[in-house]
Amino acid sequence: GVGSSDGSSPDEGVVEDVSLIDEKAVEQLAEGLISHYLPDLQRSKSALKELTQNQEVLLETIEQEISKFKECNSIPEINALFSEAKHYHNKLVNIRNEMMMLHEKSSKLKVSGI
């Protein structure tokens, strides 16, 4: 072809154009790109910060619930103490009833003069 006779490559002009790109234009393009994405990134950062704070609150709440469950493990021991107290209370009631009955009998014996 005609272009290949002088030995020049079709890419030569492009390479020259790239070397001529203005640094100010690159800076302006970068600033434009940043200004386009920065608000979204800042909103994402804020949302992530809020999410992290919520997770910390949730973790604290879960830890409190876990400690409540640990306390619940002692409930069977407490129930055993209550049933033992009820047993002894019943014994005391029976002793009191027996003492009242004996008192009545002794009073009757005194009245009858024995």
Side-chain angles (χ1 to χ4, degrees), residues 76-87:
E77 297 167 15
I78 294 170
N79 285 339
L81 282 174
F82 275 117
S83 65
E84 193 175 347
K86 187 176 180 183
H87 172 71

Side-chain angles (χ1 to χ4, degrees), residues 100-113:
M100 286 173 61
M101 189 178 69
L102 290 172
H103 176 70
E104 273 183 42
K105 283 184 178 181
S106 67
S107 295
K108 286 180 182 175
L109 287 174
K110 283 181 187 174
V111 168
S112 64

